[in-house]
Amino acid sequence: MRTMNNTPFHKCKSVLNKPDLTECFQNTVLVWFPCVYLWLLAPFYALKLYCHDCGCIRISTLCTAKTVLGFLLASFGFVEFFYILLERSHEIQNHMVFLLSPIIRSLTVVLAICIIQLERIRGCRSSVFLFLFWVLAVVCSLVPLRNITLFSMVYGRSSRCDDTGTNILSVCMTDNPCPVKDASFLSKMLFWWFTGLVVKGYQPITIYVLSVCLFSRQEKTMAAGVALGTRLPDQAQILRKLQKEQSSGFCLLRTLARNFGPYFLTGTMCIIFHDFFMFAIPQVLSLLLGFMNEEDAPLWKGYFYATLMFLLSCLQSLFNHQYMYTCFTVGMRVKTAVMGLVYRKSLVINSASRRTCTVGEIVNLVSADTQKLMDFVVYFNAVWLAPIEIALCLFFLWQHLGPSALAGIATVILIFPLNGFIAKKRSKLQVQMKFMDGRIKLMNEILNGIKILKFYAWEKAFLEQVLGYREKELKALKKSQILYSISIASFNSSTFLIAFAMFGVYVLIDDKNVLDAQKVFVSMALINILKTPLSQLPFAMSTTMQAIVSLKRLGKYLCSEELKDDNVAKAPLNGEGVLIDNGTFSWTKEGPPCLKRINVCVPQGSLVAVVGHVGSGKSSLLSAMLGETEKRSGSVSIKGSVAYVPQQAWIQNATVQDNVMFGREKQKTWYQRVLDACALLPDLEILPAGDSTEIGEKGLNLSGGQKQRVSLARAVYRKADVYLLDDPLSAVDAHVGQHIFDKVIGPKGVLRDKTRVLVTHGMSFLPQADLILVLVDGEITESGSYQELLSRQGAFADFIRMFASNDRKESVTETAAQRGRTSFFFLPFHILTGVCQFLATDCLFVLPQVRLEMYMEYFKTIGMAFIIPIVFLYAFQQGASLAYNYWLSLWADEPIVNGTQVDTDMKLAVYGALGFAQGIAIFGTTVAISVGGIIASRHLHMDLLKNVLHSPMSFFETTPSGNLLNRFAKEIDAIDCMIPDGLKMMLGYLFKLMEVCIIVMLATPFAAVVILPLAILYAFVQSFYVATSCQLRRLESVSRSPIYTHFNETVQGASVIRAFGEQHRFIVQANKRVDFNQTSYFPRFVATRWLAVNLEFVGNGVVLAAAILSVMGKDTLSPGIVGLAVSHSLQVTGILSWIVRSWTDVENNIVSVERVKEYADTAKEAVWTVEGSSLPLAWPQTGTIEFQDYGLQYRKGLDWALKGITLKIQEREKVGIVGRTGAGKSSLALGIFRILEAAKGEIYIDGVNIAEIGLHDLRSRITIIPQDPVLFSGSLRMNLDPFDTYTDEEIWSSLELAHLKNFVSNLPDKLNYECSEGGENLSLGQRQLVCLARALLRKTKILVLDEATAAVDLETDTLIQSTIRQQFEDCTVLTIAHRLNTIMDYTRVIVMDKGHISEMDSPTNLISNRGQFYRMCREAGLV
C-alpha cells in the first residue's frame, strides 16, 4: 500500500503550486483517524456514563432525527461497499483499502448511534465526546469533498458527496442552543445558550418581569445550581477550625482552595492553551511578511497563512473566555461561601467580640471584602503566568533581534520596580477602607437614630462627622489615583519604551543591523503580547495584596470569640426548671463581673420575679441563663426549650403573623388564643390587612406597646418549657398589662404550667410570684416569696412600703411617637420573591439604556473646564501613537544601500520624541479623569447626605435602612472608583480603535467595504448587550439590599434567634437572599462572555480581511505597510471587547448616579434655619404655647390625627396629657416639634408662629426626653453634647442631677468612655438617664416627656420626677403620662380622645367632674 500512481502515500501528489494529498492518504488516514478516536475511547466513555446515572431522558424529535440521519449515513457506507464490490472488483486485489474504508466508516457511525442512545438512557444532555468525533469526521471529509467537487466539475459526476453533506448535517444537529444545563458543547463554548435572555433584556420591561423571565426559564436551574452549589459542606466545623487555629486568613484560604480548587484548575488549563495560540500568531505573521518579501512565492501560501492566523485568533478567543467564565464562576462560589461563613459567625459571636465590630463593619465584610476575594480568584493566575509570558516574549524577541532584546529586558526591569513600588504605596493607602468603614458605621447609626437627631436638631453635627470621614477617604483616594495614573502611563507607554530601547540598541550597535518589516512588526506583535502580562501583573499583585488585607479582616472576624456551648447545660434536672450554682458572670473575659455569687433554683412550673434598681444586673441575669455572658465560674442548667422576650422588642420586617409564628406551623386555635391572651386582637382590627400587614423595619410602624406585645406573643406561641421575660409589661397600658399578666404570665394564664422568670418594675404583680429575687449591684441580696421578704424587714420591705402605695395608684398609658400614625404606616404585604419584597421604589420601570440625563448630571458635576482638555489630550495622545507607528513602517520600507540604512539616528530621535509625547499625554488624561471623578463623587455624596438628612420622618419609616446604607456604601464606592476607571478605559480604547481603522484603511482602502458591515454587526451586538447588562445590573443591585437588611436585622436580634434555636432557619433565609442575588449576578458575567466571544469573532474578521486583502495586493503594497496593518488588526479583537466592556461598566455604574440622585426628588422637610430671621437668641423666654384651631393629618386623605385643637398653656405650667391608644397624645408632641406639619391652624410659642421659623431654630430651643433612649457610638461626652458647646463642669452637673455621676465617675475613661453602637454597653435604664442628662444640659424653657421613664424602676422614676420638678420648676413641662400618679400634682391635665380634647382642667377638678379622667383614675385605684 506504499504507492498509488507511483507516489508515496504521505506526500503531495502535485507540484508545490497546487498542493494535494494522495488518494491513498485520503482513503486511509482521513477515514480512519475519526474512527480510531471513537473506537478507542468509546469503552472508557461508556464506563463514565455507567458510573454517572442522571436519569433517563425521554425520546425527543431531535434525538429521533439524529438516529435516522445516523442510520442514513451508515447505509451510504454499505451502498458504497457493494458498489465497489460489483463495479471495481478488478482493483480490489491491489487496493483492499477501497473496500475496507466504507465498512469501517459505517460501523463507526452505528457505534455513534449506540452512544447517542446510551447517553439518553443515562441522562447525558450534551456530549463533548461525540461533538469532537463529528468535528473530526467533517474536517477529514473536507479534502475528499474538494477533490470530488473538482472531479465532478471536470468529469461531470459526483461520488461520495452525500456522505460529507450528511456528516456536516449531523454536526449541525448536535448543536442545540439552549440554557447551559441542556446546551451542547459548541453552545457552551460560544455561549449561544445565553442569546434568549439577551433578547429578553433588550425589551423595555420592568425589572420584576425580567427576574421572572430569568427564573422561569431554565437559566434558573443553572444560576441557582451555580449559586446553591457553593455552600461550604460544614460551615460550623470550618468556623471551629478557624477559631482553633487563630491563623487569621490562611486557614480560610486553604479551606476555599480545597473546596473550589479542582474546578479552578480546569480554567487554568484553558489559559495555558490560550497562551499557546497567542504565541503562535506572531510566528505566522512572520511567515506572512516573509511571503510578502518573496517575489515568486505562490499565492496559496499567503491565503493559507492568512486563514491560519484567523483560526488561531478564534481559538485564542474561545479558550480565553472559557477561562474567564470558569474563574468568575469559582469567584462567585467563593464569595457566596464566605458570605455564608460571615453570616453564620454573626449568630455565634459573643458579646465582647460583638462590641468590637459594628453592623456597618459586618456589612462591609460581606460587600467589599468578599468582592475583593472574588477579584483575587479571577486575577490570581496572572501572578504566576505573567512572568512566564514575559519570559517567552523576550525569548522570541531574542530570536529576531539578538542581544538587543536585552535592552527590552532592561526596560521591563525598570518598569517593574516602579509599578511594584506604586502597588506597595497604594496598598498602604488602603486606609481609605478604614475611613469608609467609619463612615458607613456612622451612617448606620444615623439612620437607626434619625428620630433623635431630628428632635434634638443634631443633623448638622453628624453631617460634619460624616463629611470629616469622607474628606479623609477622598484624600487617600486622590493620592492612590495619582499613583495609579503613573502606573497606567508606564503600562500604556511600555510598548513604545520596550520597542524604542530594543530598536535603538539594535541599530546603534552595528551599522549592518537593518530594521526590515519582518523584524519590526513581528517584534511589535510580540511587544503587544508582552503588554498584557505587564499590565496584568501589577494589577494582579495589587488585587492579591487587597485580598490578603480582606482575608486578614475576614479571618480576624471569623476567629473572634464565640459563645461557649457549655455556658448552659441542657441536661434534664430533677424538678428544677433553671438552676444556677455559685455563678459569676461578666460581659468580657477581662472585664469586671456583672453578676457575682449567683445561686438560683427555679422550680419547674413556677413564676420567679426579678427586681432591682437600674443597672443592678436584672437583664444580665437573664442573659446568663441564655448563655450570652462570659461564665467565670459556677454552672447554669436549663430544662427543656427556652423562649425569650427581650427588654427592647426585636421585630422582623415581615407580617404580624410571621413575627408571631416565627418559623412554626400555624395552629389556628392556638394562634387565636395567643393573640387574645397578648391583647393583640383589638390592634389587628385597625390594621389594613389584619395579621397579614407587614411590619416595617425594626417595627417602625408599631407603637412601643404593640411591639412588646408582638414580641411576647412570639414567645407564647412557641410552647416552650422555660420563659425568660425581660420587663415585657413596661411599655403597655395598666389595664392591658393586667390583662396580659392574668391571661399569660400569672397563675391562671396560658403559661401557668411553664417555668417563668420575669424581670419587672411593677410591684402589683409581685404578690402572685412564687419566688422573688432582689438584685443589688450584680448580687442577689434577698430571695423568697413576697410575704417572706416583707416579714424579714429588709431593704426589700422598705422599698415595698415606700412604693407600694404609689404602684397601686399608677397607670401605664401606652403611647409612642408613631401612635396616631398606626393606620397609615402599615405597608400592604406583597410576597414578591426577593426583588419587590423590600421597596416599591426599587421595582422601577426601566428602559434598556440609562437615561442621558444621568451622564449630563455626572459631567455637569465635573465641569466643562475639565472635560474639554481631557478630550484634547486623548486626541493628541492617539495622534502621537499613529505618527510613531506610521514612522516605523516608513523606516521598515527604507531601501538597504550597501547592507545599511541611512539616517538611522534621525529616525530613532523622531520615533523617541513622538513616543515620549504620547506618554506625557497619557499621564495627563488619567490624572485629569481621576480628579474630575473625585470632584463629581464629592458633590454627589454631599447631595445624597443632605437629601437624606433633610427628609421627613415618614421617609425613614417607609424606606428600609438597608436600601439607604447600600446607597452610601456600594453606590458611592462605584462613583468613587468604577466610573472614572471605566471612562479612562473606554476613551483610551475608543481612540485606539480609530487609530487602527485609519491604519488598516490607509494600507488597504478596500478594507472599508469589510469594516463597514462589521461595524454595523458590532453596533447591533453591543446594543443588545448593553441593554441586557444594565437590566441585570439593576436587578443585581435591587437584590443586594435585602441581604444587608437581613444581616442588619439578624445581628440586632441574634440573642432572640439563639434563644429560640432558630439559627438554622435564619441561615437558610440568608442563603436564599444571597443565592437570589447571585442568580442575578451570574447572567451578568455570562453576558460579558457572550459579548466578548461574538465581538472577538467580528474582530478576527478584521484580521482576516486585512491579511487576505494584503495578499491580494501583494504586487502594490510594501511589506512595511502590510506589517503595520496586520499587526494593528490583531489588536482589534481586544480593543472591541474592552470598548464595550468599559462602556458597559460605565453604563452599569452610572446607574449608581441614578440611584444616588433618586432621593433628590423625594419630599423634604422645611428649611433648618431661616436666613435673616429676627428670632431673639433667648427665645422662648417664657415658654407659653398656644394652639389655634390646630389640625394634623399623617397624609392627605387620611383621618385627622388631631382636629380643632384650641389651647393655651401658660408659662411655667405643668401639663399632663393622657388618653387611650391612638387618642392623639404623641401627635401633639410631633406637632410642637414640627416632625409633622400642620394641616390647618397654627402653634405659637411666646407669640411666634413656629411654622415661620427654621426647624433647627425651633427644635434646638425646646427639649424632649423620648420613649426610646438612643445613644450613638462615640464618647459619652459626644452623646451629651455633640456640638461641644458646654463645659465639663456643666456636663458633670447634669450627670449628677440625672443620678449618673457615681456611675460615670467609676468608668475607666469617665466622660470619654466609649459607648458602643446603640449604647449597648449601658443598660436601658442608664440610657434613659443619659437622655435625661441631655435635657438637663440644654435646660430650655419647654420640656416634653414622652413616656420618658418606661424603662426605669420605681425608685429611679421617683428620683427623675423630683429632678424634673426641681430643675424645670421655671419651665413649661408637657408630660405624655406614663404613670398617672406622676401628674396628679400638675397644674392641668389634658384628656385626649380620637384627636380632640375631651376634658381639660386641674386633676382635682377633673376627678370631681367624674368624667373620662375620673374613670381612668378609678381603674388605676387612685380614687
Side-chain angles (χ1 to χ4, degrees), residues 73-86:
L73 187 60
S75 66
F76 285 139
F78 290 118
V79 168
E80 188 182 353
F81 169 75
F82 287 113
Y83 166 75
I84 293 167
L85 204 61
L86 297 170

Side-chain angles (χ1 to χ4, degrees), residues 377-558:
V377 170
V378 175
Y379 298 105
F380 168 68
N381 271 326
V383 173
W384 65 271
L385 204 56
I388 296 170
E389 288 171 352
I390 292 164
L392 280 169
C393 282
L394 295 172
F395 168 74
F396 288 121
L397 285 165
W398 182 286
Q399 285 188 325
H400 280 87
L401 299 172
S404 309
L406 291 172
I409 296 170
T411 312
V412 170
I413 287 167
L414 284 172
I415 292 170
F416 255 79
L418 171 69
N419 288 311
F421 171 74
I422 290 169
K424 196 174 177 183
K425 287 293 263 184
R426 286 191 77 206
S427 72
K428 280 184 183 172
L429 287 169
Q430 282 297 308
V431 290
Q432 160 201 351
M433 286 289 287
K434 187 178 77 180
F435 298 130
M436 184 182 171
D437 274 356
R439 179 171 61 84
I440 300 302
K441 173 183 159 187
L442 186 58
M443 274 316 303
N444 186 49
E445 293 194 56
I446 286 171
L447 297 174
N448 288 340
I450 189 70
K451 191 196 286 182
I452 297 298
L453 257 64
K454 292 200 172 295
F455 273 138
Y456 285 104
W458 280 358
E459 293 102 325
K460 276 185 184 171
F462 281 84
L463 180 113
E464 292 303 322
Q465 280 190 49
V466 173
L467 292 180
Y469 276 116
R470 183 72 181 146
E471 280 308 309
K472 289 174 187 169
E473 188 185 344
L474 288 179
K475 195 177 174 184
L477 183 69
K478 192 174 183 179
K479 286 180 185 173
S480 178
Q481 287 294 338
I482 289 169
L483 287 169
Y484 188 47
S485 298
I486 298 169
S487 208
I488 286 178
S490 68
F491 294 152
N492 292 355
S493 304
S494 58
T495 309
F496 156 75
L497 290 169
I498 295 165
F500 179 66
M502 287 196 298
F503 296 157
V505 171
Y506 184 72
V507 296
L508 292 173
I509 56 172
D510 192 347
D511 288 345
K512 299 292 180 187
N513 286 347
V514 292
L515 285 176
D516 58 13
Q518 209 168 352
K519 281 194 179 74
V520 168
F521 292 107
V522 172
S523 298
M524 287 304 281
L526 285 165
I527 292 166
N528 278 325
I529 289 174
L530 183 61
K531 195 175 170 183
T532 306
L534 278 178
S535 64
Q536 275 183 352
L537 191 58
F539 181 70
M541 284 163 68
S542 165
T543 307
T544 306
M545 295 290 179
Q546 287 178 15
I548 289 166
V549 171
S550 293
L551 267 171
K552 282 178 183 171
R553 280 158 58 94
L554 284 161
K556 185 184 172 189
Y557 178 71
L558 295 173

Side-chain angles (χ1 to χ4, degrees), residues 736-913:
V736 175
Q738 195 62 54
H739 168 93
I740 290 172
F741 188 82
D742 293 342
K743 290 286 187 80
V744 181
I745 303 166
K748 294 177 184 174
V750 291
L751 303 180
R752 57 185 172 274
D753 301 325
K754 309 289 185 181
T755 307
R756 291 142 291 155
V757 180
L758 171 70
V759 169
T760 183
H761 293 132
M763 296 296 141
S764 59
F765 306 128
L766 297 182
Q768 298 178 65
D770 301 310
L771 178 69
I772 299 169
L773 303 176
V774 183
L775 273 167
V776 177
D777 296 333
E779 287 191 61
I780 296 174
T781 54
E782 294 179 85
S783 70
S785 69
Y786 186 75
Q787 292 303 326
E788 283 172 15
L789 291 176
L790 278 181
S791 61
R792 283 181 200 164
Q793 302 295 316
F796 178 77
D798 300 339
F799 180 72
I800 289 292
R801 283 195 200 93
M802 184 175 171
F803 292 103
S805 56
N806 289 346
D807 188 61
R808 280 196 298 277
K809 296 176 184 176
E810 69 159 29
S811 169
V812 184
T813 307
E814 180 183 349
T815 181
Q818 302 95 329
R819 175 73 37 64
R821 190 184 64 238
T822 305
S823 59
F824 157 49
F825 279 123
F826 281 100
L827 312 168
F829 189 63
H830 301 296
I831 306 166
L832 293 180
T833 311
V835 182
C836 298
Q837 185 179 356
F838 289 86
L839 243 204
T841 52
D842 266 7
C843 265
L844 302 167
F845 175 85
V846 289
L847 296 167
Q849 263 78 30
V850 175
R851 293 199 308 274
L852 190 64
E853 298 96 89
M854 283 306 118
Y855 285 103
M856 298 309 295
E857 191 70 51
Y858 184 74
F859 291 130
K860 203 195 294 175
T861 49
I862 294 176
M864 290 307 286
F866 256 91
I867 292 165
I868 294 166
I870 287 169
V871 174
F872 276 117
L873 276 169
Y874 266 113
F876 174 74
Q877 159 191 327
Q878 230 50 55
S881 174
L882 176 64
Y884 79 65
N885 278 303
Y886 187 66
W887 180 260
L888 207 53
S889 77
L890 293 175
W891 186 355
D893 285 335
E894 186 78 21
I896 296 160
V897 182
N898 298 325
T900 61
Q901 287 172 318
V902 293
D903 295 332
T904 50
D905 292 355
M906 183 271 289
K907 291 187 180 83
L908 192 63
V910 171
Y911 179 61

Side-chain angles (χ1 to χ4, degrees), residues 1250-1270:
I1250 63 167
E1252 293 170 2
I1253 60 175
L1255 289 179
H1256 280 188
D1257 294 333
L1258 169 68
R1259 292 170 185 171
S1260 62
R1261 312 285 181 91
I1262 56 180
T1263 303
I1264 187 167
I1265 304 179
Q1267 179 187 10
D1268 298 320
V1270 176

